[in-house]
Amino acid sequence: MHFRKVENFDNLEMSYISDFSGAYIARNKNLLNELNLNPLTQFILEKSVFGTPIFKLGSCGNRLLILSGIHGNELPPQIANVKLLNELIKEDLNNTLYFIPFASPKSTMNNERTFNSIDLNRSAHINNSLSNLIIKAILDLKINFVGDFHSTARNANPGFESVFSSKSPTPESFLIANYISRDVGCDVISFDYSGSTYRGAVEDVCNLKGIPAITAEVLCPFANVARGSVERSFAQMKSFLSYFGV
Ligand SMILES: [Zn+2]
């Protein structure tokens, strides 16, 4: 996977996960209304027209991935991820951070959960599905830890603010989830073994490959942005990073 330096934004590098998932995210007005449309944010939206971009800051320490948009209609984490990239681009980092703010720009544009009717959090184990290409990038880049950020509606699964993890085969998943839970004040949902209830979640596929991963959820109606939900997703991301001293 080849990263190139981005003109006009020192420190920033980017590459693509795929070239078949791009779309005009700005057509999602519920999302657009909540973004601060500065030059970096506009740049991210422009690059998302051509596929799923992945951005990189820093070059030493642990390699961490902040992932959002696996479900395109879960808006708070996608907005928080863009905000996080905007904040951290100004920092001198002691770790290498990868950001995928919009895993599936097409799903985000359409404000829908699935990509071409496929749930990306049930298909990460299927060769060359869009979320499987994210897994391949994680392996290729030797990313050490993965935070996958979602939102959940009150009547959906899980329906409350939480961090999913598993105790086996990658116990650090459970430790990270407990840390975030204590730090931001949400529940921990843990499974004894990754992927035992359903298959193909990004978190589970990572944990099964020995890469500690968590799924973090904030409460928000699907396809909308509830007051405070972006801030709470942002706090979960910051907490995930602070576990590693970022
Ligand atoms: Zn989700």
Side-chain angles (χ1 to χ4, degrees):
M1 197 165 195
H2 179 69
F3 276 75
R4 63 174 182 82
K5 292 244 178 229
V6 175
E7 256 181 87
N8 302 326
F9 301 103
D10 292 346
N11 312 326
L12 187 66
E13 296 177 51
M14 73 163 291
S15 185
Y16 277 101
I17 299 290
S18 82
D19 61 4
F20 57 82
S21 49
Y24 295 90
I25 288 173
R27 288 184 186 164
N28 182 337
K29 297 300 174 202
N30 290 355
L31 179 95
L32 190 71
N33 287 340
E34 301 293 330
L35 288 174
N36 173 14
L37 288 178
N38 59 34
L40 177 56
T41 301
Q42 289 181 50
F43 174 80
I44 296 167
L45 295 181
E46 284 164 18
K47 293 299 158 187
S48 301
V49 171
F50 307 104
T52 298
I54 177 169
F55 301 95
K56 179 187 175 195
L57 292 176
S59 57
C60 55
N62 282 311
R63 290 177 293 279
L64 314 174
L65 172 64
I66 306 284
L67 173 63
S68 54
I70 282 290
H71 292 138
N73 64 348
E74 298 175 4
L75 304 184
Q78 302 181 69
I79 298 160
N81 201 341
V82 171
K83 197 175 149 188
L84 187 69
L85 182 50
N86 270 279
E87 181 178 298
L88 293 177
I89 198 168
K90 300 166 198 149
E91 304 280 325
D92 199 9
L93 294 165
N94 52 1
N95 286 280
T96 306
L97 306 186
Y98 292 93
F99 303 79
I100 302 177
F102 302 110
S104 172
K106 189 180 165 191
S107 311
T108 303
M109 176 181 80
N110 293 334
N111 219 351
E112 64 190 5
R113 178 180 175 89
T114 56
F115 172 69
N116 296 342
S117 302
I118 294 166
D119 187 330
L120 296 178
N121 223 21
R122 299 290 183 276
S123 56
H125 60 311
I126 297 170
N127 192 34
N128 290 334
S129 72
L130 180 53
S131 46
N132 184 251
L133 295 179
I134 292 174
I135 300 290
K136 286 180 176 174
I138 289 166
L139 295 170
D140 185 37
L141 297 168
K142 299 185 168 55
I143 287 172
N144 305 114
F145 301 96
V146 173
D148 184 17
F149 295 86
H150 289 241
S151 61
T152 179
R154 216 168 266 286
N155 55 353
N157 177 24
F160 52 91
E161 306 225 342
S162 49
V163 188
F164 282 88
S165 62
S166 53
K167 292 175 181 162
S168 187
T170 312
E172 194 154 11
S173 161
F174 183 60
L175 300 180
I176 297 166
N178 275 282
Y179 175 87
I180 297 171
S181 150
R182 278 198 313 274
D183 197 23
V184 306
C186 62
D187 289 311
V188 172
I189 300 171
S190 73
F191 296 93
D192 288 337
Y193 200 86
S194 291
S196 46
T197 46
Y198 49 81
R199 299 186 71 196
V202 171
E203 172 210 335
D204 289 329
V205 174
C206 289
N207 280 323
L208 290 170
K209 290 183 184 297
I211 301 159
I214 54 97
T215 305
E217 303 267 2
V218 293
L219 207 52
C220 182
F222 293 121
N224 277 289
V225 183
R227 183 175 305 208
S229 58
V230 173
E231 290 74 11
R232 292 196 306 280
S233 186
F234 187 78
Q236 288 179 335
M237 291 173 182
K238 293 279 279 188
S239 180
F240 173 75
L241 292 177
S242 79
Y243 181 88
F244 306 100
V246 179

